[in-house]
Structure formats: structure tokens, C-alpha cells
Amino acid sequence: DAIDYHKVDLWSLLELAWVSGLYPQEPKSLADVCQTLHIERSALHNALQDALIAAEVVRATILMFRMRNDENIRFSRPLAADNV
């Protein structure tokens, strides 16, 4: 019921979403995840930006789990982080 956010591994969370049918493909790279979730990534290998992106990915993934019973969810629109 509760996740200790101090121990959440981003890739494990994405893999769980994928095997649960909530994420459309196996997560392979941060660039692919950003493209799928419509998250802008302007610089490569920027630690601060990658940390902020990771937070957005976690928010979007949690939103997927929260909305898993909503049949209207499609990946044709961005999963806005402010909806969490």
C-alpha cells in the first residue's frame, strides 16, 4: 500500500509498470523514457537535469499506477507531473 520513496529504484519502478501493462515498452534508456513520457531533455549527461527528469519519471509512473483502472489513458498525450 505504501512505498518508501527513499528506496525506490527508477528502473525497477518502470519495469513494474511495463510488466503490469501500464508502460508501452520495456524501458531501455532515459532518452527512450523521456520520449515515451513526453519529457523534454535538453542536455545529455547533466546530473542535475537527470535528477529532475528522474523525479518527473517517478511522478508520471506513480500517476500510471493511480490511474490504471481508467480506460481512457493513452500515451498519445503527455503525462503531466503536476497531475500527481
Side-chain angles (χ1 to χ4, degrees), residues 3 5 8 13 56-68 84:
I3 296 176
Y5 67 91
V8 172
L13 188 61
E56 280 192 61
V57 170
V58 168
R59 286 185 196 114
T61 307
I62 290 171
L63 178 63
M64 284 184 247
F65 282 104
R66 283 184 175 174
M67 300 176 68
R68 81 171 95 196
V84 175

Side-chain angles (χ1 to χ4, degrees), residues 19-77:
V19 298
S20 299
L22 300 173
Y23 191 79
Q25 63 200 21
E26 182 179 7
K28 296 189 183 210
S29 70
L30 188 57
D32 289 339
V33 170
C34 287
Q35 183 177 358
T36 300
L37 298 178
H38 307 282
I39 296 172
E40 185 178 333
R41 185 176 185 208
S42 59
L44 297 177
H45 308 296
N46 179 305
L48 177 58
Q49 184 184 45
D50 286 351
L52 294 171
I53 287 171
E56 280 192 61
V57 170
V58 168
R59 286 185 196 114
T61 307
I62 290 171
L63 178 63
M64 284 184 247
F65 282 104
R66 283 184 175 174
M67 300 176 68
R68 81 171 95 196
N69 296 325
D70 184 348
E71 295 177 9
N72 297 319
I73 291 179
R74 300 290 179 264
F75 282 90
S76 60
R77 63 180 170 81

